Amino acid sequence: MDVQKRNFIIMWICNFLVAGTMTMIMPFLSLYIHTFGNLSPAYVQKWAGLIFGATFVSAFIMSPIWGRIADKHGFKPILIINSLGLATSVFLMGFVQSVEAFFFLRLFMGFVTGFIPTSLAFISSQTSREEAGKMLGTLQMGNVSGMLFGPIFGGLLADMFGFQYAFMITSITLLVAASIVFFGIHEIRKVKTKKQVLYSRQSILTGILKHRLMFNIMLVTTIIQIGNFSVQPLLSLYVAELTNAKDVAFLAGLTFSAAGLGNLLFARKWGEIGDDIGYEKVLSILLVLSFVFIIPQAFVTHLWQLMIFRLLFGIAIGGMIPVTTALVRREAPIDIQGEVMGYNTSFRFLGNIIGPMLGGIISGFIGIASVFIVTASLFLFGFAFLYIARRKPSQAFEDFVATKHQTSST
């Protein structure tokens, strides 16, 4: 087996493990806070939201920094550092005695939540541009598979062994992932040339914000996560409105997993189509399909209808991450791909932060159903911005950033 294929298989397995372990905590987050004392429901709900969002805030800041370090020193060391940092923070969570301590550990977790975006950048760096969509789509399947099964195993572990042991088992799984990377990954480092340009952070960020296509990629990345997270905290309440069944939590889990299943089934296929006909075309199609499949969710009258449209929405949204990542792979110079993908990840985490707040505000004023309509309109705006960018003259991102770098240097 050649090195690149072995690296890919290892990263798929590790993405499954890391994504799964990172979502294990979600089913019992609020229940764990209850163990800290005789706390009111309002207090628990407030801190559950803060603790859930804390990781995304710090990850939003750190993602491009990890990417820049990886560009300089290699991806393997960053993968190991992040997995060890995650293992440590999760292990300590099993021994906290207050919500404040729990909050700060979740905040610290965000600083080392760079494993999955770094793995994407790593695989992208050793994949040809012609098949980047297929390879990144396949890697995305490992991530999504972990996110689907993680909450199920997390809930089972908490019920069988208690919260503390659930955290410990999760931590051990992360250590296993770190060991697999340490012993299994062989990174082929890029040979630096005398002509290689050392881009400044300012020139890279300015280039991203002012380059039409790259900025649209980042914008769509944010919209994807807003679309996912705006309704996620409200899904169980919406399910309760559609059914009189007692096991609402289980049915809400199935409804949420329907989108993940669609994502899992079609992520690789969308990547392959992007390789064949162009990533911009596929991304435009997916934005329109997402709009089409979200709108009916606001008007369903039965739970099975909601599940079907969540599945269809998952099919549409499943191709967006590998396609946007493949676009970054195509446009960004190989020497700064880690940092550019880090910014792409930051825009994803920005959507994770905005989504729940936007969904909560909208549902509070005009109802849960309206959240779907507002979210759908965001996908339509994303399509419009991408359409305008495609109709204008193309800009070579590498030359664009180099020009910004020369301007800032002078």
Side-chain angles (χ1 to χ4, degrees):
M1 184 184 297
D2 62 53
V3 173
Q4 292 184 349
K5 186 175 182 180
R6 186 183 67 184
N7 285 346
F8 180 82
I9 293 173
I10 289 173
M11 292 317 307
W12 196 99
I13 294 171
C14 289
N15 265 16
F16 174 81
L17 292 175
V18 172
T21 51
M22 289 300 91
T23 54
M24 279 184 179
I25 186 179
M26 298 310 168
F28 57 85
L29 181 65
S30 300
L31 298 174
Y32 188 54
I33 294 173
H34 268 297
T35 65
F36 298 150
N38 187 18
L39 308 174
S40 68
Y43 183 87
V44 171
Q45 291 170 16
K46 180 188 75 173
W47 274 102
L50 290 172
I51 289 170
F52 179 80
T55 301
F56 300 131
V57 173
S58 49
F60 168 77
I61 298 169
M62 281 300 298
S63 290
I65 297 175
W66 285 124
R68 189 173 184 86
I69 296 172
D71 286 330
K72 289 183 178 180
H73 303 288
F75 294 103
K76 182 175 178 178
I78 305 305
L79 290 168
I80 294 171
I81 290 170
N82 276 278
S83 49
L84 291 176
L86 289 171
T88 302
S89 59
V90 171
F91 179 79
L92 293 175
M93 285 177 193
F95 299 92
V96 294
Q97 300 294 323
S98 66
V99 289
E100 293 83 5
F102 194 19
F103 173 82
F104 282 111
L105 280 175
R106 288 280 296 176
L107 195 66
F108 171 75
M109 178 187 283
F111 285 111
V112 291
T113 305
F115 187 95
I116 290 174
T118 301
S119 70
L120 285 171
F122 171 53
I123 294 301
S124 174
S125 69
Q126 60 176 23
T127 302
S128 66
R129 295 185 179 188
E130 291 73 22
E131 58 176 4
K134 179 182 69 175
M135 298 301 289
L136 293 170
T138 307
L139 188 62
Q140 172 72 3
M141 291 170 63
N143 182 13
V144 175
S145 299
M147 293 176 66
L148 281 175
F149 292 107
I152 298 172
F153 287 125
L156 289 174
L157 288 174
D159 288 339
M160 293 174 63
F161 304 108
F163 298 127
Q164 188 176 74
Y165 284 101
F167 283 113
M168 293 174 66
I169 294 170
T170 302
S171 178
I172 291 170
T173 306
L174 289 165
L175 288 176
V176 170
S179 301
I180 293 173
V181 171
F182 182 80
F183 291 107
I185 290 293
H186 176 66
E187 181 176 358
I188 302 173
R189 297 293 304 277
K190 301 184 294 288
V191 179
K192 296 184 181 296
T193 63
K194 293 182 179 179
K195 294 182 179 180
Q196 182 173 318
V197 179
L198 297 176
Y199 299 98
S200 66
R201 293 178 187 175
Q202 181 181 354
S203 63
I204 295 173
L205 182 57
T206 303
I208 289 172
L209 296 178
K210 293 189 176 182
H211 186 267
R212 285 189 295 271
L213 179 58
M214 193 64 77
F215 179 71
N216 272 279
I217 294 171
M218 303 296 170
L219 183 65
V220 168
T221 301
T222 303
I223 290 173
I224 294 168
Q225 297 308 105
I226 293 176
N228 271 328
F229 279 82
S230 60
V231 73
Q232 184 175 332
L234 308 168
L235 201 58
S236 59
L237 298 175
Y238 196 52
V239 168
E241 292 180 4
L242 296 172
T243 179
N244 294 320
K246 295 181 180 179
D247 49 350
V248 173
F250 174 72
L251 293 173
L254 287 180
T255 307
F256 179 74
S257 296
L261 179 61
N263 191 317
L264 176 64
L265 294 175
F266 280 83
R268 176 186 171 92
K269 189 62 181 178
W270 286 122
E272 288 181 346
I273 296 172
D275 292 334
D276 293 335
I277 69 173
Y279 304 122
E280 292 94 335
K281 289 182 181 178
V282 172
L283 188 55
S284 299
I285 293 169
L286 293 175
L287 286 166
V288 173
L289 288 177
S290 297
F291 171 80
V292 170
F293 293 142
I294 289 177
I295 289 292
Q297 296 179 43
F299 302 101
V300 296
T301 55
H302 296 87
L303 182 58
W304 64 267
Q305 297 170 344
L306 179 62
M307 288 184 177
I308 289 174
F309 283 112
R310 292 299 293 175
L311 175 66
L312 294 172
F313 173 65
I315 290 173
I317 207 170
M320 290 189 185
I321 290 178
V323 168
T324 52
T325 306
L327 273 168
V328 173
R329 164 70 181 89
R330 190 191 72 188
E331 296 291 322
I334 194 71
D335 300 320
I336 59 170
Q337 275 195 10
E339 184 168 357
V340 176
M341 287 191 179
Y343 280 113
N344 191 38
T345 304
S346 288
F347 275 84
R348 285 181 62 189
F349 287 129
L350 180 63
N352 292 358
I353 297 167
I354 295 173
M357 293 190 297
L358 180 66
I361 293 170
I362 294 171
S363 64
F365 281 101
I366 47 180
I368 297 176
S370 60
V371 177
F372 294 103
I373 298 173
V374 173
T375 301
S377 67
L378 291 177
F379 283 95
L380 201 59
F381 282 127
F383 168 79
F385 291 141
L386 184 60
Y387 178 78
I388 293 170
R390 289 180 61 197
R391 289 183 63 85
K392 291 185 177 181
S394 61
Q395 300 168 306
F397 182 71
E398 184 171 4
D399 297 337
F400 195 80
V401 175
T403 302
K404 297 296 179 185
H405 176 71
Q406 291 173 0
T407 303
S408 63
S409 299
T410 55

